Amino acid sequence: MSRSGILSRLVLKSSNERLLFLTGINLTLLNFILVQHAAVAFREAEIAVLLFSLSFFSGISAGYFLSDRLGRSWVKRFLPLFLGLQLLLLVFLQPLHHVISSDVDRWADGKSLPGDLGVWVGFGVGFLLMSVGATSLYSVFLPAAIQDGQNLRRSYSIEILGSIVGLALVPILAGVSQEFLLSGYFVAFFFLCINAGVSRPALLGLAVIMVSFLMGFERWDKSTSGWFYKRWYGSWVSDVAYTRYTPYHKIEVLELDDGEFMLALNGKRQFARGSHFLYSYYLAEYPARLLGSPTVCLMGCGSMSTVGRIGDFVPSIRIVDLDPEVFKTSKRFFPQYNRLNELDNWTFTADDAKHFMANNDEQFDLILHDIPPAKSRQIALTYTREFFSSVKEHLSSGGMFSIASLTPLSETSRYGKRMIATLADVFDRYFLLEIGSSVYFYGGGEGMPVLDRETLRNAIDHSSRDRIKIYLQGEVDDLVAGAKIITVNNVGDLIYE
C-alpha cells in the first residue's frame, strides 16, 4: 500500500470517527485513574482491579443496550453529569467505602451477620458507581456510529487506536504528576464534548469545573485522606503532610500528633517510628552483626530505616526499588531513620526486584527482603520458590537472606507457615526468630555458618532479647510440616489466605 493510502486510512474523516478516537483515549486514561483510586479506597489492589474490570464490561453492556434508545441530544446532556460523577469518585471513593463498610458492619454486628458484610457492601456500591460513571456513556458512541453507516471494522480500529494512544500517554503524564494525568484526561474529554455537539455555555461550564478541580485536587485529596486516616488509625494522625501519585503508588506522609511522620503506600501504613526499633533491627542489624561486615542488597526501600541501622559498619548497600519516588520521599521525610544524608556507602537502583535478581550477576553477603506483604499478585511473586531461588544464587558463600512475616505461625493462619515452608524448601541452612506475631527467617546456602541457640541469643542486642523464641532448622521443619509450597502457579493461595 502506498504512503498516501496509509495516510488516508489514518485521517479521521467524520465527527463519528473523531468521537471514537477520543473515546479510546478517554477510556484508557480514566481506567488507569479510577483503578489507582479504587486500589487506595479498597486497600486491596487485586480486588480493585477485579471490581473495575467487572464495572468496565458492565458499563459497556449497558451502553450498548441503550445506544439505540439515547439520541445525540441526550448524550450531550449526560456528558457533564458523568464528568461530575467521575470527579466525585476520585475525591470521595475512599471515605465513601469506609463509611459504608463501617456502618453496615455495625448494623451486622447487632444482627449476628458475617463480620465482613460491610466491606462487601462497600465493594458493591463502588462497583455500581464505577459501572455507571466509567464506561456506560462512552460505549454508546460505537453502536451509534455503526448505525449511522460507519464501517464496523474501521470503527473498531479507530477506537482501539485511541486506546493505544491513551496507553502511551499514561506513563508520560503519570510520571510527571497526577495533575498532569488528570489534565490529559480533561483535554481529551473536552474535545470529545466538542465533537459530540455540547453547547458553548456547557463547554464553558465544563472548562471552569476542570480548571477548578485541578487547582483544588491536591487540597481536597489530602482533606478526604486525612479524614479517613484519622478514623482508620486513630486521632493521633494529625494531617496528611505530603502526597505523590506515581504509576505504581499513591505515596502519603502522615503527620502525627507528636510531630513524627508515618509513611503510607496505597492507603496502607508502611513505616512508623516503632518499626525502626523492632522490625528494622531484626530484619537488618541482627543478621548484619552476625555476619560482621557484609555487603548488602536491600530489596524494597520504604522508609529505608534498615539502612540507618547498618550503615555505620557495612561496606556497601545496594537499594533496589521499582519506584524512585518512594526513595525520594523517604530520603526527605525520614532522614533521622535512614541517615542517607550522613552515609556515603549506598547506591539506589530503580528496578523491580525480580528483574534485578534475574539480570544481575552481583553477589551479596546479606540480602534483605523489605517488600510489603503478599496482598497482590505482583508483590506475591517475590514470595515464591522461584524468586527465593534466584535470591539464593546471589548470596556469597556464607551469605544470608533475611525476611520477615508479620503474621503469627498459629494454627489459624496459614500465610506465615506457607511462606516459611517455601523458604525452607529453597535454602540449605536456616533458623527462625519469633517475637509476638512477627517471625524473622534467616537462610543461606551450604556455606552459611550453623550456630547454636545460645550463640544466636547472645548475639541479640535488643531490649526484647528475653522474649524472643528461637527455632533451629529441625524445629522450623516441624513447625511448617505439611504446609503448601508457594510457586508462581499458586500465588493466589498466599494472597487470599
Side-chain angles (χ1 to χ4, degrees):
M1 182 182 293
S2 66
R3 181 178 299 178
S4 61
I6 295 174
L7 290 175
S8 66
R9 285 179 174 268
L10 293 177
V11 173
L12 303 178
K13 301 174 182 178
S14 67
S15 175
N16 276 335
E17 290 187 353
R18 290 190 292 272
L19 270 175
L20 294 176
F21 180 72
L22 290 166
T23 294
I25 296 176
N26 270 262
L27 277 174
T28 302
L29 294 177
L30 179 62
N31 289 356
F32 182 83
I33 293 168
L34 277 180
V35 167
Q36 269 188 319
H37 287 264
V40 175
F42 300 150
R43 298 171 58 81
E44 297 291 348
E46 298 281 334
I47 296 292
V49 172
L50 178 62
L51 284 178
F52 186 83
S53 298
L54 290 172
S55 69
F56 180 88
F57 291 109
S58 298
I60 286 179
S61 299
Y64 284 178
F65 176 76
L66 294 171
S67 61
D68 60 346
R69 295 168 172 80
L70 290 176
R72 185 67 65 93
S73 60
W74 278 101
V75 172
K76 288 188 292 186
R77 294 191 189 103
F78 281 136
L79 277 169
L81 296 176
F82 271 64
L83 180 66
L85 176 58
Q86 292 163 9
L87 299 186
L88 289 173
L89 280 174
L90 298 186
V91 176
F92 293 107
L93 185 57
Q94 183 183 41
L96 177 66
H97 176 71
H98 175 67
V99 167
I100 291 173
S101 58
S102 58
D103 285 352
V104 172
D105 278 345
R106 280 195 292 269
W107 174 82
D109 285 343
K111 302 292 184 179
S112 300
L113 295 172
D116 57 354
L117 180 63
V119 173
W120 288 102
V121 172
F123 288 160
V125 172
F127 161 75
L128 290 174
L129 291 174
M130 288 190 293
S131 296
V132 173
T135 58
S136 57
L137 194 66
Y138 294 121
S139 57
V140 169
F141 296 123
L142 180 59
I146 295 170
Q147 289 167 9
D148 287 348
Q150 187 81 32
N151 179 271
L152 176 61
R153 182 175 179 181
R154 180 173 172 82
S155 297
Y156 271 114
S157 299
I158 290 172
E159 188 164 348
I160 290 171
L161 178 62
S163 299
I164 294 172
V165 172
L167 193 61
L169 288 172
V170 165
I172 298 172
L173 299 175
V176 178
S177 71
Q178 191 72 356
E179 284 78 7
F180 260 71
L181 181 62
L182 289 168
S183 296
Y185 174 68
F186 287 159
V187 169
F189 187 89
F190 189 79
F191 278 102
L192 184 146
C193 290
I194 292 175
N195 278 272
V198 174
S199 66
R200 288 187 178 182
L203 287 174
L204 179 61
L206 284 173
V208 171
I209 291 172
M210 291 173 181
V211 173
S212 300
F213 187 84
L214 287 172
M215 293 176 63
F217 173 72
E218 182 179 1
R219 182 173 68 256
W220 299 331
D221 187 49
K222 284 184 177 180
S223 179
T224 54
S225 291
W227 181 92
F228 165 77
Y229 287 121
K230 288 175 185 178
R231 281 151 185 80
W232 187 266
Y233 290 115
S235 58
W236 49 279
V237 175
S238 176
D239 200 4
V240 178
Y242 175 80
T243 299
R244 175 75 164 95
Y245 285 86
T246 76
Y248 312 105
H249 297 106
K250 181 183 182 183
I251 306 167
E252 294 174 286
V253 177
L254 312 183
E255 185 175 357
L256 308 182
D257 57 8
D258 60 359
E260 286 279 336
F261 292 117
M262 182 170 80
L263 177 66
L265 298 180
N266 291 336
K268 294 183 178 180
R269 178 171 58 184
Q270 179 70 17
F271 175 81
R273 178 177 56 186
S275 302
H276 180 72
F277 298 104
L278 187 70
Y279 172 84
S280 294
Y281 172 79
Y282 283 107
L283 183 76
E285 184 173 346
Y286 177 69
R289 295 285 185 189
L290 280 176
L291 294 171
S293 183
T295 56
V296 179
C297 176
L298 170 62
M299 296 185 297
C301 62
S303 68
M304 295 173 292
S305 79
T306 50
V307 175
R309 277 286 189 179
I310 62 179
D312 287 333
F313 64 92
V314 302
S316 64
I317 306 172
R318 173 69 75 91
I319 306 166
V320 180
D321 193 274
L322 182 62
D323 195 342
E325 291 301 325
V326 175
F327 170 81
K328 293 175 185 177
T329 300
S330 293
K331 189 172 185 287
R332 172 184 171 185
F333 284 96
F334 302 99
Q336 71 271 39
Y337 299 114
N338 55 54
R339 300 168 50 229
L340 294 182
N341 297 327
E342 306 171 27
L343 304 169
D344 59 5
N345 57 345
W346 58 267
T347 57
F348 175 76
T349 300
D351 198 357
D352 175 69
K354 301 183 297 300
H355 182 268
F356 179 82
M357 287 294 162
N359 295 276
N360 191 287
D361 296 327
E362 289 183 69
Q363 298 285 302
F364 302 95
D365 301 321
L366 176 61
I367 298 178
L368 308 175
H369 187 289
D370 194 15
I371 299 172
K375 296 300 182 183
S376 69
R377 190 165 298 274
Q378 184 66 21
I379 292 176
L381 291 173
T382 68
Y383 288 81
T384 61
R385 178 168 58 191
E386 291 83 357
F387 180 73
F388 294 146
S389 296
S390 70
V391 168
K392 182 182 175 184
E393 294 174 1
H394 287 272
L395 287 175
S396 62
S397 177
M400 187 180 293
F401 176 58
S402 174
I403 184 173
S405 169
L406 306 182
T407 302
L409 297 176
S410 63
E411 292 297 325
T412 58
S413 172
R414 290 176 292 184
Y415 176 95
K417 285 190 176 182
R418 287 175 175 175
M419 176 182 150
I420 300 302
T422 305
L423 289 160
D425 184 68
V426 171
F427 292 95
D428 301 309
R429 294 180 177 172
Y430 44 87
F431 65 94
L432 206 68
L433 300 186
E434 183 180 23
I435 176 169
S437 61
S438 300
V439 177
Y440 299 87
F441 176 95
Y442 312 95
E446 291 288 353
M448 177 179 152
V450 178
L451 303 174
D452 59 57
R453 197 184 310 274
E454 183 178 0
T455 302
L456 293 174
R457 188 174 297 279
N458 289 337
I460 300 173
D461 184 18
H462 195 273
S463 59
S464 63
R465 182 173 69 174
D466 294 336
R467 294 185 285 125
I468 289 289
K469 295 180 181 178
I470 299 175
Y471 296 89
L472 301 180
Q473 186 157 336
E475 295 167 330
V476 174
D477 293 340
D478 293 338
L479 197 63
V480 298
K484 183 181 293 186
I485 306 300
I486 300 300
T487 71
V488 295
N489 296 318
N490 65 351
V491 288
D493 292 334
L494 191 65
I495 299 170
Y496 303 113
E497 167 51 37

